Amino acid sequence: MPALTFGIVVFPGSNCDHDAQYALGTVCGQETRLLWHKETSLQGADVIILPGGFSYGDYLRCGAIARFSPIMKEVIAFANDGGTVIGICNGFQILCEAGLLPGVLLRNEQLRFSCSYVHLRVEQNTSRYTSACVPGEVLRIPIAHGDGNYFADAETLRTLEEKRRVLFRYCDPDGTVSGGANPNGSLRNIAGIMNEQGNVMGMMPHPERAVEALLGPTDGRKVLRSIIESVVVHGELTHSSLS
Amino acid sequence: MNDLKSGARAAEPAVDLEVARKHGLTEEEYGRILAILGRTPTYTELGVYSVMWSEHCSYKNSIAELKKLPRSGGRLLVDAGAENAGLVDIGGGYAIAFKIESHNHPSAVEPYQGAATGVGGIMRDIFTMGARPIAALNSLRFGSLESPRTKYLLKGIVKGIGDYGNSFGVPTVAGEIYFDKCYNENPLVNAMAVGIVRHDQAASAIAKGEGNIVLIVGSSTGRDGIHGATFASEEISEASEAKRPSVQVGDPFTEKLLLEATLEAIATGVVIGIQDMGAAGISCSTSEMSAKGNSGMTIELSRVPAREKEMTAYELMLSESQERMLLVVKPEHTQIVEKIFQKWDLQCQAIGKVHSDGFLRVTMHGVNVATMPAETLVLGGGAPVYHREFTEPSYLKSTRSYDLKTIKEPNDYTGVLYKLLEAPNICSRRWVTRQYDSMVRTNTVGLDFGDAAVIRLKELQKAIAVKTDCNSRYVYLNPYVGAQIAVAESARNVVCVGAKPLAITNCLNFGNPYKPEIFWQFRESIRGIADACRALETPVTGGNVSFYNENPDGPIYPTPVIGMLGEIENMDHITDAAFKAEGDEIYLLGETKGHIGGSEYLSLIHGLAVGDAPAIDLKAERSVQDTVLRLIHAGLVKSAHDVSDGGLAIALAECCLATVQTGRPLGARIQVKAGIRNDHFLFGEDQSRIVISVAEGNGDQIDRACSQANVPVQRIGTVRGTRLEINEVVNAGVEEMAQRFNESLEKQLI
């Protein structure tokens, strides 16, 4: 299976860029490329990752400035072309600010940053981000954010649910979606969603942090493997295969 | 020295002894400045001398004592104090840079920014050496948790540490939090940072080469933090509130950019010298770099990017604005460096040149405002060195003569165990630690309750262990022994996770050194650290002294915090405290005599801080540590946990509690002849003890190894069920212990 090329965008203040590179490159054996935010080309990347961190310090609304970075014009064009774009944590926030995903990430309900392992229920496995999972499966993956409280209006939520675009929900170890399992106040315990076309995904938990047994649970690999396998095996129309 | 134009003097306030005193200088010190310069200093010069000779920068009252510490040898690549942080060889052409530093005074008046800039400052100390920061730790002390002020300080300090470290992108992996009323109004915030650097990429804080260019990079300079170093050299009082403007303001985003740009610049090989700007700002970096290179500099201050209008020379020299660095490069290389900083949207401005005559000359719009021999400003050069008076404190007579036999034995030992598990000094720190990103950089090894944090080094396929420690109640009751214990316990902690202790950094927090009783505590602590570091072969790589930690009610407990670095050659050796399987046998290494003096039990249950610190025999300590490490290397140890605050009962409880998050809670059945009072047996804090669990049938090998090493050892029980049962006197459910342990701090903070 030929390796995919993952383009990992480095915004000023990104700090999970190296982690994503290590997880996808060293651990999963894919090609990776760090893309400086001032660049105007995605350099032939098959998949774009907007990594976690504090772009521009998150001094304004999280992600609100990063979306104006020069490279975002290319990322948006790539997404509109059907290219796979994944936002993790700060990257999810940037995708919402850029209008590539609906809704917004508010300050955590308890008004504190929270770093801990959470349980995620996989809501469906027909997406390219969950194809290696079983529906209803529970993953253990860490979160680390101060603004992960997913909010959207009722109409948006209805559409997300109807079209099965909610991919991950915070849950108890047994898979029950409960208030107690919700680490940040997200509506309907939403932890990750995708766009209507299914080529743009955002999630607050960090799959790239859960890929080595030495460090802890390895369930993040299932998310990364889904992407690696779907984009190649199922012949998704990636940007590079279009050109 | 006659190049001072009269214009400069006219523009600045006149200087006399009174002005010098207001700057915190003594008459003797002012006289010394007059003698050095051969004239009255300008206002700017006086400002520079006052900050450089402040306790914070000059270590004038501590350096004579610090020289008694073992500060070289082992794997140390630079001697203590020679660079911004210690540098320890870790093999494969790499080194670990690490250091701990205090930010107590700023945090007392402005907890959020004080703590945040404490983290920022120590990070710069690491990456100014060319090392990439890989871990942060912090050692915190607060007053009584009942006080609303303590809650306010704790919440602000924790948020400050979290916001800075999280944004900067370094995992906060370990630390300590202790509460005692002696820290009311004077919390301690000691921040430690650890970084990794290839030997050939390590940078030095030096200025040399006639005509080389001096660059200032990073943030612009404002009026924040002026006289921060001087402020840190005074006692905290009601007037301290007015010093709030002395506290700097942190910007972790700029620091992150500065980190990346700095490492990129150093990697080009054109940086001759580099130093961060923390205390005393431009004054400190220009004079220290010059003195180190036996050279001097001319600096034109109008070129310094300023964020406020009409800043004077005095203000520019003394500002402690954060996120700035000073670099020295050859003229032909300035463009290379400028380009890198431009890429990261950071300022990079040439402000002067290096000269070989040893003078620091400062001009403002071409007018000379200061001309000082650089070497006269710095520690190890012309900065004063004092040998202070010392005398044994009178309180020791009463603490030592207290008759511990009068302590009433409790009736309900399970109840006491629960109380201890809920005690602010023992309960889970989860409420705090979850506010820190402990995983970013994906090197933090997930441990179920490790005695120290373990960080994998991707570069080398090995790991390091890091920990901070200090039981200040012990140090209060016996500074010499208490300080030894701080070193020994931090070493024991890294041993318990499978690491060999390599070296320490220390942060020495004390009261006013001009009080002979305080200075006696300081001297005795240094003696204790020195002896323990020699016995355990862990030299001191550097650190920081923070005096004047007093509030109107008196001094803090003497608190020499030790930051320990250990090495794990083989990652299979990584060990944690959690019991692993039903039927495993539990062993206790070391001797249990039942020492309750200075114990958490005595403090919490009986409200007493009396008696002597537990005795420690460094040879026995070393044997216990070496033996446990050997057993871990032999693959015999399934869990290891050091016995410390709360004694054997709490240590065993913690081994059980550590199993809860795995989803398979395990208890233990302990049956052992105590031979002493039950409270002494359960909660006594005898040193040099480690609890290990081993697979059934491996006991013989444990006994053999211990007897060979002359280490006392006892099989004390078995991992069994979901309750902790000790000798028919304690019977506690693991789930109930977990609930009390985990929820206590949060409940008390609301």
Side-chain angles (χ1 to χ4, degrees):
Chain A
M1 190 164 78
L4 290 178
T5 299
F6 286 81
I8 301 160
V9 178
V10 182
F11 296 100
S14 293
N15 62 30
C16 302
D17 43 351
H18 293 150
D19 299 353
Q21 187 176 36
Y22 180 78
L24 289 160
T26 310
V27 180
C28 295
Q30 304 300 300
E31 294 289 327
T32 58
R33 217 160 278 169
L34 294 178
L35 303 173
W36 183 233
H37 76 116
K38 288 179 189 169
E39 285 173 28
T40 49
S41 152
L42 303 184
Q43 300 179 20
D46 301 306
V47 180
I48 290 295
I49 304 273
L50 306 189
F54 290 72
S55 55
Y56 293 93
D58 280 348
Y59 290 144
L60 202 58
R61 230 169 37 244
C62 299
I65 302 180
R67 81 170 184 94
F68 293 108
S69 273
I71 203 164
M72 282 307 289
K73 216 174 133 189
E74 295 308 308
V75 171
I76 291 167
F78 178 75
N80 289 340
D81 248 6
T84 305
V85 178
I86 295 156
I88 300 168
C89 199
N90 195 225
F92 185 10
Q93 294 160 346
I94 295 168
L95 289 175
C96 290
E97 287 291 335
L100 289 174
L101 287 173
V104 66
L105 283 314
L106 303 175
R107 194 98 192 105
N108 289 353
E109 198 176 44
Q110 73 278 24
L111 304 180
R112 289 193 303 275
F113 187 93
S114 183
C115 174
S116 65
Y117 279 96
V118 295
H119 292 95
L120 298 178
R121 190 173 78 186
V122 178
E123 296 295 285
Q124 53 110 311
N125 71 344
T126 57
S127 82
R128 65 187 79 167
Y129 319 98
T130 52
S131 57
C133 307
V134 178
E137 184 175 353
V138 176
L139 307 179
R140 196 151 182 255
I141 289 180
I143 53 164
H145 59 246
D147 302 75
N149 180 356
Y150 184 76
F151 178 87
D153 59 39
E155 180 59 27
T156 306
L157 286 175
R158 201 178 51 78
T159 317
L160 284 175
E161 300 283 7
E162 255 179 34
K163 307 274 183 191
R164 309 193 64 199
R165 286 164 50 194
V166 176
L167 299 176
F168 306 104
R169 278 185 229 271
Y170 303 108
C171 68
D172 294 326
D174 67 0
T176 311
V177 174
S178 70
N182 191 332
N184 51 29
S186 288
L187 288 178
R188 302 190 189 192
N189 283 36
I190 288 173
I193 57 168
M194 61 179 184
N195 68 351
E196 200 178 342
Q197 295 72 30
N199 64 317
V200 179
M201 187 273 273
M203 64 190 294
M204 286 313 294
H206 288 270
E208 82 283 11
R209 292 188 182 187
V211 295
E212 290 176 286
L214 176 72
L215 310 188
T218 57
D219 292 347
R221 276 189 184 213
K222 289 192 178 170
V223 178
L224 302 186
R225 210 175 72 214
S226 297
I227 298 160
I228 293 163
E229 288 174 358
S230 319
V231 175
V232 176
V233 177
H234 303 304
E236 296 280 356
L237 292 180
T238 66
H239 198 62
S240 56
S241 63
L242 280 175
S243 55
Chain B
M1 254 191 264
N2 296 322
D3 52 354
L4 276 168
K5 291 180 189 164
S6 53
R9 285 172 196 261
E12 290 191 330
V15 171
D16 59 18
L17 177 58
E18 217 24 60
V19 177
R21 280 212 179 103
K22 280 189 185 143
H23 278 73
L25 292 162
T26 62
E27 185 172 357
E28 183 198 340
E29 286 165 350
Y30 181 61
R32 200 173 166 130
I33 296 169
L34 294 179
I36 288 169
L37 298 178
R39 57 176 167 78
T40 304
T42 67
Y43 192 65
T44 299
E45 286 170 339
L46 183 76
V48 173
Y49 273 104
S50 79
V51 287
M52 289 306 295
W53 287 6
S54 72
E55 190 68 52
H56 191 83
C57 291
S58 73
Y59 293 80
K60 59 189 169 190
N61 287 306
S62 61
I63 189 64
E65 293 297 323
L66 295 174
K67 286 188 171 162
K68 297 176 183 169
L69 294 167
R71 300 187 300 162
S72 59
R75 303 249 205 107
L76 266 57
L77 296 174
V78 296
D79 288 356
E83 291 290 349
N84 281 288
L87 207 56
V88 176
D89 181 32
I90 197 80
Y94 282 87
I96 296 292
F98 73 120
K99 191 184 182 188
I100 189 165
E101 204 163 69
S102 65
H103 236 215
N104 305 337
H105 288 70
S107 304
V109 295
E110 209 323 278
Y112 179 84
Q113 291 295 349
T117 52
V119 175
I122 196 69
M123 288 301 157
R124 281 195 302 284
D125 276 336
I126 299 302
F127 69 80
T128 194
M129 296 189 67
R132 180 171 280 280
I134 55 172
L137 297 87
N138 51 75
S139 181
L140 310 178
R141 300 290 182 284
F142 295 101
S144 161
L145 189 48
E146 279 111 54
S147 141
R149 175 80 180 166
T150 296
K151 293 176 194 184
Y152 160 75
L153 289 172
L154 183 143
K155 287 175 182 171
I157 285 167
V158 167
K159 191 164 166 45
I161 291 171
D163 282 0
Y164 205 101
N166 296 346
S167 174
F168 181 65
V170 63
T172 302
V173 297
E176 330 142 78
I177 302 176
Y178 277 103
F179 299 89
D180 192 289
K181 60 181 188 317
C182 72
Y183 301 109
N184 280 346
E185 304 293 325
N186 196 139
L188 302 186
V189 175
N190 293 180
M192 173 168 156
V194 184
I196 187 165
V197 59
R198 251 176 43 205
H199 289 192
D200 58 1
Q201 292 276 309
S204 177
I206 195 165
K208 56 183 181 187
E210 176 76 35
N212 282 340
I213 304 295
V214 179
L215 300 168
I216 189 168
V217 302
S219 288
S220 5
T221 300
R223 289 192 172 93
D224 49 331
I226 290 174
H227 276 302
T230 315
F231 167 47
S233 309
E234 294 167 4
E235 287 176 30
I236 300 220
S237 65
E238 278 172 26
S240 299
E241 196 60 19
K243 304 268 170 126
R244 203 187 285 262
S246 292
V247 180
Q248 314 87 330
V249 177
D251 175 2
F253 169 60
T254 301
E255 177 114 328
K256 165 75 173 158
L257 303 183
L258 189 60
L259 159 73
E260 299 300 341
T262 300
L263 293 187
E264 216 173 298
I266 291 171
T268 63
V270 304
V271 176
I272 291 166
I274 176 167
Q275 177 158 345
D276 75 299
M277 269 176 263
I282 298 178
S283 298
C284 187
S285 51
T286 51
S287 56
E288 286 189 354
M289 289 178 79
S290 297
K292 191 177 172 72
N294 294 319
S295 48
M297 283 182 193
T298 52
I299 300 293
E300 170 50 52
L301 290 173
S302 65
R303 296 210 190 121
V304 174
R307 71 169 78 120
E308 292 175 69
K309 276 185 191 157
E310 289 170 15
M311 285 184 70
T312 63
Y314 178 93
E315 290 169 332
L316 287 164
M317 285 301 280
L318 267 56
S319 162
E320 294 188 6
S321 289
Q322 299 286 291
E323 291 91 24
R324 299 179 298 161
M325 294 272 197
L326 202 71
L327 274 73
V328 171
V329 297
K330 287 187 178 161
E332 61 267 34
H333 292 148
T334 51
Q335 268 195 337
I336 299 174
V337 173
E338 275 167 10
K339 231 173 152 181
I340 291 170
F341 283 87
Q342 249 166 33
K343 170 188 160 187
W344 290 96
D345 296 322
L346 290 170
Q347 298 174 100
C348 176
Q349 178 66 47
I351 59 167
K353 279 186 181 164
V354 176
H355 294 294
S356 47
D357 67 356
F359 280 93
L360 180 59
R361 286 192 184 78
V362 183
T363 58
M364 182 77 174
H365 298 296
V367 179
N368 188 299
V369 289
T371 301
M372 306 160 286
E375 178 268 341
T376 64
L377 289 160
V378 305
L379 162 71
V385 175
Y386 298 130
H387 298 267
R388 297 253 73 87
E389 277 177 44
F390 52 92
T391 177
E392 185 170 307
S394 53
Y395 71 80
L396 286 171
K397 280 197 189 73
S398 60
T399 55
R400 280 182 185 155
S401 61
Y402 195 93
D403 185 2
L404 293 169
K405 290 196 201 83
T406 62
I407 305 287
K408 253 188 79 186
E409 216 173 320
N411 302 317
D412 172 12
Y413 279 104
T414 305
V416 172
L417 177 76
Y418 284 146
K419 272 194 190 151
L420 279 165
L421 286 171
E422 288 172 333
N425 285 342
I426 290 181
C427 70
S428 166
R429 273 79 182 98
R430 194 172 71 175
W431 186 89
V432 168
T433 53
R434 281 191 177 170
Q435 295 185 54
Y436 304 148
D437 188 341
S438 55
M439 307 175 194
V440 63
R441 302 199 57 72
T442 57
N443 289 318
T444 312
V445 173
L447 297 179
D448 292 319
F449 209 105
D451 280 21
V454 176
I455 306 296
R456 172 262 310 268
L457 305 175
K458 287 185 180 118
E459 297 83 351
L460 295 168
Q461 288 310 309
K462 61 163 85 167
I464 55 166
V466 280
K467 185 66 173 54
T468 63
D469 253 308
C470 178
N471 184 323
S472 62
R473 203 185 301 120
Y474 294 170
V475 188
Y476 166 72
L477 295 173
N478 189 334
Y480 173 63
V481 172
Q484 288 183 51
I485 291 175
V487 177
E489 190 182 337
S490 61
R492 211 182 302 141
N493 285 149
V494 303
V495 163
C496 284
V497 298
K500 178 183 160 48
L502 289 185
I504 71 157
T505 172
N506 56 23
C507 194
L508 309 171
N509 307 274
F510 287 80
N512 183 342
Y514 287 79
K515 297 178 183 170
E517 296 198 342
I518 299 288
F519 204 70
W520 186 86
Q521 293 176 333
F522 182 70
R523 266 177 66 100
E524 286 291 289
S525 298
I526 293 282
R527 199 161 69 82
I529 293 170
D531 283 355
C533 285
R534 283 193 195 98
L536 301 174
E537 292 181 80
T538 53
V540 181
T541 61
N544 166 242
V545 178
S546 172
F547 281 133
Y548 306 97
N549 290 291
E550 307 210 1
N551 60 47
D553 294 333
I556 59 160
Y557 283 168
T559 314
V561 173
I562 305 298
M564 179 65 74
L565 171 72
E567 177 187 35
I568 302 174
E569 283 276 3
N570 178 343
M571 291 202 274
D572 294 337
H573 296 158
I574 296 170
T575 307
D576 63 33
F579 287 143
K580 295 297 180 302
E582 186 93 15
D584 284 351
E585 297 182 13
I586 304 167
Y587 281 80
L588 172 64
L589 279 72
E591 213 175 342
T592 301
K593 293 180 181 162
H595 185 99
I596 60 160
S599 65
E600 187 61 31
Y601 161 73
L602 207 54
S603 167
L604 184 83
I605 306 295
H606 301 283
L608 292 168
V610 295
D612 198 350
I616 184 162
D617 172 346
L618 291 169
K619 230 175 113 187
E621 174 75 43
R622 179 82 194 257
S623 300
V624 169
Q625 292 186 15
D626 288 352
T627 304
V628 167
L629 208 51
R630 209 170 309 128
L631 292 170
I632 288 175
H633 289 174
L636 291 167
V637 177
K638 295 177 83 172
S639 73
H641 188 28
D642 132 72
V643 179
S644 61
D645 310 339
L648 180 62
I650 291 297
L652 290 164
E654 287 168 343
C655 296
C656 298
L657 290 170
T659 64
V660 173
Q661 56 194 328
T662 66
R664 290 169 283 104
L666 287 168
R669 179 85 190 88
I670 305 299
Q671 198 62 260
V672 59
K673 201 171 164 298
I676 46 176
R677 268 173 64 157
N678 276 322
D679 52 349
H680 293 195
F681 173 72
L682 294 168
F683 309 120
E685 298 183 3
D686 303 292
Q687 292 300 298
S688 315
R689 293 186 297 164
I690 294 176
V691 171
I692 62 171
S693 67
V694 305
E696 210 181 334
N698 280 344
D700 286 352
Q701 298 183 65
I702 306 299
D703 287 332
R704 211 173 311 129
C706 288
S707 101
Q708 272 169 14
N710 234 344
V711 169
V713 64
Q714 251 183 309
R715 181 187 174 283
I716 59 170
T718 320
V719 177
R720 200 168 84 188
T722 56
R723 304 187 71 79
L724 173 63
E725 297 170 65
I726 309 175
N727 281 358
E728 279 84 45
V729 293
V730 168
N731 188 333
V734 174
E735 297 277 9
E736 172 156 13
M737 288 196 294
Q739 199 178 355
R740 290 169 179 267
F741 178 76
N742 287 332
E743 291 172 8
S744 176
L745 187 60
E746 183 160 6
K747 277 185 187 158
Q748 295 181 71
L749 275 173
I750 295 164

